[in-house]
Amino acid sequence: MELKEARERLMTLQAKMSAYDHALGILNYDGETTAPKATADNRARSMGVLSEEVYRLQTGEETVSLLEFLDEHKDELTEKEQRMVFLMLKDIRQMKKIPMDEYIAFQMLLAKSQDVWHTAKETSDFALFEPYLTQVYDGVKKIAGYCAPGKDPYDYWLNEFEEGVSKEYCDKFFGELREKLVPLIKKIGEAPQVDDSCIKGHFPEYKQEEFARYLMKLIGLDLDHVGLSTTEHPFTTSLGSHFDERITTNYKLDNVSSSMFSVVHEGGHALYDTGSADDLAYTVLDGGVSMGIHESQSRFYENLIGRSRPFIECIFPKLVELFPENFADCTPEDVYRAVNKVEPSLIRTEADEVTYCLHVMIRYELEKRVVGGELEVKDLPAEWNRLYKEYLGIDVPDDKHGVLQDSHWSFAAIGYFPSYALGSAYGAQFMKKMRETIDVDGCIAKGDFGPVNAWNREHIWKYGSLLKPGELLEKVLGGPFEASAYVEYLEKKYTDIYGL
């Protein structure tokens, strides 16, 4: 085989894989958004057929021979081609360790599991979801055993979502946060409390949707390439390439901030994906490199920008225009303080910045124990409720507001949750670095996201998955990642709000 031909075949192979991902992505997106309730089995059959084709394509002799040939000639490849071959060989070597029939069966299980989770959450019926979740946990443990025999299965999955992360790493990271945040939460709890009544009331869905699209355009999303829909648990997905991005939200008629921050959060994900360099499209380098880096962008836009004074001052006139009965007698400062109220709560996605990581810690502890065999799936609700009482001092009224609130376990995103906390900390350090050259507050106050987005695109987005997470962090920060920047940000901001 000639090297030129092999390089051309590499690009053709990735384009074909992208097409399959596109088809599978649409099926999954449909299932999460507009598909009728009784269509999960039908969708699972189609996903099973497509998953088998993907498995055969990725692990077939022709593909393996091509990639091994290119790997032998890697010194003659470009940096991008070398990274493509490395990532594809890594995935193939792992996938080949999983028996094809088990791989297909697991994909079909996940399609059904997600559908059952929706019903279970609506009815607050964990018993309905339990057998599926048990199979999901059994599946991820079995897959870890195939792919990394001898390695702790939870360490395997943590590393899959964020390269270099392990239980030891997470224990240290969460320990540092807990040491600083618990005393801060205590001080805030003893201070006069913030009035958040201005963001509560009645907010018609059609007006919230108009506000959502306003926010999308404000932060710089191209609505010709980024769609908006609704679902039970908001998420973002790329369909085939960064040219087709979808975000979702969930409108709560009694609280406008819920969808507002959901849209800005998912919008951050979409900005990252659509910001990939165009020459990475339809390759394995298209889109974000890890879930931690991805969450750094979503949490960056949701909190570091979205909950800032300049941002609230910028959007306040739109809030008054759309919801005059709610905001006519309010000030931007009222809204700023309301959206930053610190209060132990039930729902992770609506938690304030200070208590948010405690929600993540609870999920981390539970996952670690279930995968490690120390806790059975059937006991998750009771243990969830116990930890919420211990960590946040609140009673969980039912499983809908407790163990069933997140969709992640239904699609086997076990090991993902620490990425939310890591991403929050990454984002704080990115912001600190950005402020060295950009007047962030001045730009946001004017509604000009151009300089902020340009900085992120130049330093983070354009690389897609070209660099490893650690390499990207080092390149952006000019030094190692440190959780201290995140803690300092929280202490400074909330000392000001609560007059500590």
Side-chain angles (χ1 to χ4, degrees):
M1 187 189 308
E2 294 292 329
L3 184 59
K4 180 181 178 182
E5 178 192 356
R7 295 167 82 171
E8 291 172 351
R9 286 175 59 189
L10 173 66
M11 301 307 291
T12 300
L13 172 63
Q14 291 179 94
K16 191 170 185 179
M17 289 167 56
S18 176
Y20 278 116
D21 286 343
H22 193 171
L24 285 164
I26 287 176
L27 284 168
N28 184 68
Y29 179 75
D30 180 58
E32 290 285 335
T33 54
T34 60
K37 287 183 178 297
T39 60
D41 286 344
N42 182 57
R43 191 164 52 254
R45 287 171 63 89
S46 296
M47 294 180 79
V49 171
L50 289 171
S51 296
E52 181 174 349
E53 292 300 311
V54 170
Y55 185 97
R56 293 184 186 280
L57 176 64
Q58 287 190 268
T59 63
E61 184 177 333
E62 184 178 341
T63 297
V64 174
S65 296
L66 169 64
L67 293 173
E68 288 181 342
F69 173 82
L70 288 166
D71 192 45
E72 291 169 3
H73 294 81
K74 61 185 175 184
D75 291 342
E76 301 170 65
L77 302 179
T78 65
E79 179 187 10
K80 291 177 184 175
E81 290 170 334
Q82 288 178 15
R83 179 69 169 161
M84 290 171 188
V85 171
F86 170 80
L87 290 175
M88 293 173 75
L89 274 176
K90 175 177 175 283
D91 287 345
I92 286 169
R93 286 166 179 163
Q94 288 195 342
M95 189 172 285
K96 282 179 72 69
K97 295 175 182 178
I98 307 169
M100 184 175 72
D101 59 338
E102 293 190 31
Y103 172 79
I104 295 167
F106 192 62
Q107 300 309 308
M108 295 177 69
L109 166 67
L110 297 185
K112 293 179 181 179
S113 173
Q114 291 173 71
D115 185 68
V116 172
W117 169 80
H118 276 278
T119 303
K121 181 178 179 181
E122 288 174 7
T123 57
S124 194
D125 185 0
F126 182 78
L128 178 67
F129 184 48
E130 181 192 326
Y132 292 89
L133 184 56
T134 298
Q135 292 179 70
V136 170
Y137 265 101
D138 288 344
V140 299
K141 286 189 280 187
K142 186 176 284 189
I143 289 170
Y146 285 135
C147 295
K151 184 173 184 176
D152 182 282
Y154 194 50
D155 277 343
Y156 168 79
W157 284 110
L158 287 168
N159 185 72
E160 285 296 291
F161 287 110
E162 189 69 10
E163 187 175 348
V165 169
S166 63
K167 289 188 295 185
E168 181 181 3
Y169 184 98
C170 286
D171 288 344
K172 181 176 182 296
F173 171 68
F174 284 129
E176 291 176 7
L177 293 188
R178 189 183 292 110
E179 181 184 353
K180 297 290 185 179
L181 294 185
V182 170
L184 178 60
I185 293 169
K186 187 174 185 296
K187 288 181 182 178
I188 291 172
E190 294 169 350
Q193 293 306 292
V194 165
D195 178 10
D196 64 348
S197 59
C198 63
I199 57 173
K200 296 178 180 178
H202 179 70
F203 304 90
E205 184 171 324
Y206 76 96
K207 287 192 175 184
Q208 287 199 58
E209 182 177 353
E210 182 179 344
F211 186 47
R213 296 189 185 279
Y214 158 80
L215 291 170
M216 291 170 70
K217 287 189 281 188
L218 176 65
I219 67 174
L221 289 170
D222 178 358
L223 271 61
D224 288 338
H225 291 279
V226 183
L228 173 68
S229 187
T230 57
T231 189
E232 178 61 32
H233 189 102
F235 67 93
T236 301
T237 188
S238 295
L239 298 179
S241 75
H242 69 266
F243 297 125
D244 188 350
E245 195 81 8
R246 310 295 173 90
I247 72 171
T248 65
T249 189
N250 188 309
Y251 302 114
K252 295 188 184 305
L253 300 183
D254 62 349
N255 189 335
V256 71
S257 69
S258 178
S259 175
M260 168 183 162
F261 288 110
S262 169
V263 168
V264 179
H265 176 100
E266 302 304 337
H269 282 302
L271 284 167
Y272 183 18
D273 279 337
T274 58
S276 285
D278 287 350
D279 63 357
L280 301 182
Y282 311 111
T283 76
V284 295
L285 303 185
D286 196 17
V289 64
S290 74
M291 296 324 304
I293 302 297
H294 238 303
E295 294 300 341
S296 78
Q297 297 307 286
S298 61
R299 302 286 289 170
F300 179 96
Y301 282 86
E302 176 192 357
N303 292 325
L304 294 157
I305 288 180
R307 296 181 194 271
S308 70
R309 271 196 181 93
F311 185 78
I312 298 302
E313 290 169 358
C314 173
I315 67 170
F316 185 72
K318 192 68 176 179
L319 284 170
V320 174
E321 174 192 332
L322 290 173
F323 311 104
E325 293 181 1
N326 305 87
F327 294 104
D329 296 327
C330 297
T331 67
E333 183 66 16
D334 292 333
V335 179
Y336 168 70
R337 292 173 63 80
V339 300
N340 285 293
K341 182 177 182 178
V342 175
E343 183 177 44
S345 59
L346 290 165
I347 308 300
R348 175 187 61 83
T349 56
E350 298 174 10
D352 60 81
E353 289 183 274
V354 183
T355 63
Y356 180 84
C357 285
L358 298 182
H359 292 259
V360 176
M361 290 180 205
I362 289 170
R363 289 150 178 78
Y364 166 68
E365 293 293 339
L366 293 173
E367 288 184 345
K368 181 169 63 173
R369 289 166 60 193
V370 174
V371 175
E374 301 170 18
L375 181 69
E376 293 186 40
V377 169
K378 68 180 179 64
D379 297 322
L380 275 169
E383 192 62 5
W384 178 288
N385 297 351
R386 186 187 72 80
L387 288 175
Y388 261 77
K389 186 68 173 177
E390 179 183 331
Y391 279 52
L392 291 157
I394 56 178
D395 295 309
V396 179
D398 53 46
D399 290 339
K400 178 178 181 177
H401 295 88
V403 71
L404 289 172
Q405 69 179 263
D406 294 307
S407 63
H408 300 61
W409 290 343
S410 72
F411 55 86
I414 294 165
Y416 184 128
F417 281 113
S419 300
Y420 286 113
L422 287 166
S424 297
Y426 293 165
Q429 203 165 356
F430 289 157
M431 175 63 89
K432 185 176 180 179
K433 190 69 178 177
M434 182 186 291
R435 289 186 184 279
E436 294 178 4
T437 55
I438 302 290
D439 177 13
V440 177
D441 291 344
C443 292
I444 301 308
K446 294 183 295 185
D448 179 11
F449 276 74
V452 172
N453 291 351
W455 191 96
N456 279 327
R457 183 177 296 105
E458 178 62 26
H459 292 86
I460 302 169
W461 302 345
K462 72 176 185 181
Y463 293 106
S465 294
L466 179 61
L467 303 175
K468 296 178 180 179
E471 293 173 341
L472 182 64
L473 286 168
E474 188 78 22
K475 189 177 185 67
V476 176
L477 301 173
F481 160 66
E482 296 176 351
S484 58
Y486 180 48
V487 174
E488 289 168 5
Y489 155 75
L490 291 174
E491 289 179 332
K492 180 179 180 181
K493 177 177 179 177
Y494 288 91
T495 293
D496 170 63
I497 291 173
Y498 280 88
L500 303 178

